[in-house]
Amino acid sequence: MMKRVWRIPEKEAILQRFSEDYRKCYTIGRGSANALWIRGLAGKASSSQSAWPRVFTLFADKCCPADSLVKQDMREKVSHLKDELLAYSGDAEKIEKLLADRGVLLFNRYADGSAVVELLNQLKSSPGLALQAFDWRRRQLDYRTPMTVEEYSKAIVVAGRLKNVDLAAELFKEASTKRLKSTSLYNALMTAYMLNGLAVKCQSVFWDLKMEATCTPTIVTYNTLISLFGRLMLIDHMEATLREINDLDVCPNVGTYNYLIAGYITAWMWDDVEKTYRIMNAESIKPDLTTHLLMLRGYAHSGKLDKMEEIYELVKGHVDRHGIPLIRSMICAYSKSSDVNKVQKIEELLRLIPKDDYRPWLNVIVICLYAKEDLLDEMENSINEAFECNTSVTTVGVMRCIISSYFRNNAVDKLANFVSRAECAGWKICRSLYHCKMVMYASQRRLIEMERVLSEMDKVNLNFSKKTFWILVKAYTTWGEKDKCQQILGMMCRHGYGIPING
């Protein structure tokens, strides 16, 4: 190999430049020194030197792992700082002291802002703390290591996630004053407005970007617009943005299609969801995890169980660990279906949801599922869970679904217990609850208990209806209680209900 190098034209000049570059880089950190040395040689070597690229490749291959190690080391240091910040979350004084002790050295070492950006990324679940750390860096270190456009851009997006659009606009203005304008800065402010549904402001920033002489909209810019319009169900605007992308010969990426699919799902335009997915595959843009998760949600909401299950198999590992909202959507899809195995499938999905991730509406769906399937014990277990979690059912339809199951199972004592608990828990009270008890007591010739139900109705301020009297007439007639039957018929006449045909 060395013989090949010596045969390169102008070898003395190249070796001299090599020596100079090496001396300049020696005092820098090992990983950054390698990267700077390679960039220097690549820029200065003549393109006519055919042997040089082969030599350059040999050295470059050896330097990439070092650069990767430097980044990994940075991420680990940032991760330690993040953990300590989270431990002090809510204590501004301790956070400031920690940043002063640990942050100064870390942020100064990575003057390109990469450490700050990484910290904001790792604090994604705590945006308030992320902005607190960013604000400290901006106040304390800007004079020593000037802020970068990447730091501002990331902080603007974080401010948007916190719904603090005024702060986002302030940071944008501050960065612009420092002549840090770039497409990424405009994209960040557009994203902040998009996250808060501010269509007019987002579009205004887009037009400002198009007027900026030194910046040009990118596919990220257009993706932000598509996402904005999709969230607001402005489908015409979303599709117009896609046409502009095509007219400008800007290459759409997987994010473009994901935002289109998300927009169509929000508008419940299922045919367009599938059409976009097919176009995506036809254009050789490989669907990613986000795409499959969106399609899973779309198929669940549209009730296309076969396709839902097909997509679920592709992303099952991720959904089972991290996709609890999608699992709930699948449970809803099964509960509305006629799938013969839906109870088993729903129970398998329910086991994936942590006990502390309780949702009242999902509990009610499960109660209705068991009620319709006449699985009385399972229904009562779910009802008990609802009582324990102080869940209140406020719809008549759900209450009728429950009592119908008790009726079909001829479980009047269990129904009576349920009605009593429902009254105390503030659940929706309706005549159907009491009428069902009356009918079931009458069917078992428990007439005294049937009559007590009238007192219960009076206690909860439910007036007797024509159906109430009719149930009494039917019960007394069936069991030969003629005197009582005549009394009820008289009461019906006084209330203006008339006498039943078979009375």
Side-chain angles (χ1 to χ4, degrees):
M1 179 59 69
M2 291 305 296
K3 290 180 180 180
R4 291 184 186 176
V5 175
W6 284 112
R7 283 198 289 269
I8 295 174
E10 302 178 8
K11 59 183 177 294
E12 294 180 359
I14 292 174
L15 289 175
Q16 183 177 358
R17 286 196 295 270
F18 168 84
S19 300
E20 291 172 357
D21 284 334
Y22 186 82
R23 283 195 298 272
K24 288 178 183 177
C25 299
Y26 187 78
T27 57
I28 309 176
R30 189 173 175 181
S32 57
N34 288 336
L36 182 58
W37 175 66
I38 290 170
R39 288 197 298 270
L41 289 179
K44 294 177 184 178
S46 172
S47 60
S48 63
Q49 299 163 351
S50 59
W52 180 249
R54 292 195 296 272
V55 178
F56 172 78
T57 303
L58 291 174
F59 284 101
D61 289 342
K62 293 179 181 179
C63 294
C64 287
D67 188 53
S68 178
L69 288 173
V70 169
K71 289 182 180 178
Q72 182 61 31
D73 181 63
M74 181 268 288
R75 292 191 188 101
E76 290 177 1
K77 286 183 170 61
V78 170
S79 181
H80 292 318
L81 178 60
K82 178 229 9 177
D83 292 339
E84 293 183 271
L85 287 171
L86 288 172
Y88 293 137
S89 182
D91 192 328
E93 186 176 338
K94 286 186 177 180
I95 287 173
E96 295 241 346
K97 186 176 185 305
L98 177 62
L99 288 169
D101 293 340
R102 304 287 182 87
V104 174
L105 181 62
L106 179 62
F107 298 154
N108 285 341
R109 180 175 180 181
Y110 301 96
D112 60 353
S114 58
V116 175
V117 172
E118 180 64 26
L119 180 61
L120 297 182
N121 280 330
Q122 293 193 22
L123 286 172
K124 185 176 181 180
S125 59
S126 301
L129 183 57
L131 277 186
Q132 192 175 350
F134 170 80
D135 185 59
W136 178 89
R137 183 265 185 270
R138 184 173 57 144
R139 288 184 289 104
Q140 301 295 332
L141 300 179
D142 191 28
Y143 73 96
R144 186 181 304 177
T145 52
M147 300 284 294
T148 65
V149 67
E150 290 79 10
E151 291 174 279
Y152 275 112
S153 297
K154 190 65 184 178
I156 288 170
V157 174
V158 175
R161 293 190 184 283
L162 275 174
K163 302 188 180 301
N164 193 342
V165 291
D166 291 336
L167 176 60
E170 178 188 328
L171 293 175
F172 178 85
K173 183 178 180 180
E174 182 179 307
S176 300
T177 303
K178 295 179 179 180
R179 298 183 178 179
L180 292 176
K181 277 189 178 181
S182 70
T183 300
S184 64
L185 196 70
Y186 280 98
N187 289 345
L189 186 58
M190 286 179 63
T191 300
Y193 287 140
M194 176 269 291
L195 291 171
N196 291 276
L198 301 175
V200 174
K201 289 188 174 182
C202 184
Q203 287 180 286
S204 176
V205 176
F206 172 69
W207 291 116
D208 289 344
L209 171 57
K210 294 190 80 171
M211 297 290 291
E212 183 65 44
T214 59
C215 304
T216 305
T218 64
I219 189 59
V220 175
T221 314
Y222 290 106
N223 286 352
T224 304
L225 283 177
I226 289 174
S227 179
L228 169 73
F229 296 138
R231 286 164 179 252
L232 298 176
M233 289 191 288
L234 298 172
I235 304 303
D236 291 344
H237 289 64
M238 185 177 78
E239 292 175 342
T241 304
L242 179 63
R243 287 193 294 272
E244 183 174 347
I245 291 174
N246 294 328
D247 292 342
L248 294 172
D249 287 332
V250 177
C251 293
N253 56 21
V254 66
T256 310
Y257 288 96
N258 286 345
Y259 289 129
L260 286 168
I261 291 171
Y264 287 131
I265 289 174
T266 303
W268 286 49
M269 298 172 67
W270 310 124
D271 291 341
D272 292 283
V273 169
E274 293 194 273
K275 178 182 175 182
T276 305
Y277 186 60
R278 287 195 300 270
I279 293 173
M280 185 180 187
N281 285 284
E283 295 190 2
S284 300
I285 297 179
K286 187 178 181 181
D288 61 5
L289 176 63
T290 301
T291 314
H292 289 134
L293 296 179
L294 284 168
M295 294 305 297
L296 178 61
R297 180 156 62 94
Y299 288 137
H301 289 330
S302 60
K304 297 180 178 179
L305 297 191
D306 291 342
K307 293 183 177 180
M308 180 187 80
E309 291 173 346
E310 181 182 334
I311 294 290
Y312 178 56
E313 288 303 315
L314 294 176
V315 291
K316 189 176 188 299
H318 177 86
V319 172
D320 290 356
R321 291 192 301 273
H322 310 293
I324 303 303
L326 284 172
I327 290 174
R328 296 193 193 101
S329 296
M330 293 173 68
I331 291 172
C332 290
Y334 282 124
S335 69
K336 298 173 185 175
S337 74
S338 57
D339 191 313
V340 294
N341 296 317
K342 65 181 180 181
V343 173
Q344 177 186 347
K345 292 177 179 179
I346 286 175
E347 288 179 338
E348 288 175 359
L349 292 172
L350 285 171
R351 283 192 283 271
L352 299 172
I353 301 178
K355 292 292 184 183
D356 58 352
D357 201 352
Y358 175 81
R359 292 292 186 278
W361 61 267
L362 185 62
N363 192 177
V364 172
I365 286 176
V366 174
I367 290 172
C368 291
L369 169 74
Y370 288 136
K372 291 173 183 176
E373 297 295 322
D374 285 334
L375 298 170
L376 198 61
D377 291 340
E378 290 83 352
M379 181 188 77
E380 290 209 310
N381 288 337
S382 295
I383 289 174
N384 290 335
E385 183 180 8
F387 283 133
E388 290 169 4
C389 295
N390 297 318
T391 296
S392 294
V393 172
T394 58
T395 57
V396 173
V398 174
M399 298 300 285
R400 285 177 176 167
C401 183
I402 293 171
I403 61 178
S404 295
S405 182
Y406 281 119
F407 181 80
R408 289 190 296 269
N409 283 275
N410 195 29
V412 64
D413 293 319
K414 290 185 175 182
L415 172 60
N417 180 54
F418 166 72
V419 173
S420 176
R421 296 178 70 188
E423 288 174 348
C424 297
W427 287 32
K428 181 68 177 180
I429 300 301
C430 57
R431 286 190 185 88
S432 298
L433 291 171
Y434 302 94
H435 285 170
C436 186
K437 285 172 64 178
M438 292 174 66
V439 170
M440 293 178 73
Y441 281 136
S443 68
Q444 297 179 21
R445 203 173 184 176
R446 296 164 66 176
L447 301 183
I448 295 176
E449 289 165 290
M450 178 190 73
E451 293 166 353
R452 286 177 187 161
V453 175
L454 300 175
S455 299
E456 295 173 17
M457 291 178 66
D458 186 57
K459 193 182 298 182
V460 294
N461 298 317
L462 283 177
N463 296 325
F464 301 156
S465 67
K466 183 178 181 179
K467 188 173 184 179
T468 312
F469 291 116
W470 186 90
I471 293 170
L472 292 170
V473 169
K474 186 76 172 176
Y476 292 140
T477 301
T478 301
W479 299 110
E481 298 283 345
K482 294 182 179 180
D483 292 342
K484 290 186 177 181
C485 183
Q486 292 297 323
Q487 292 176 5
I488 298 301
L489 289 174
M491 293 177 65
M492 291 183 71
C493 290
R494 286 199 299 272
H495 283 83
Y497 292 137
I499 299 176
I501 296 175
N502 59 348

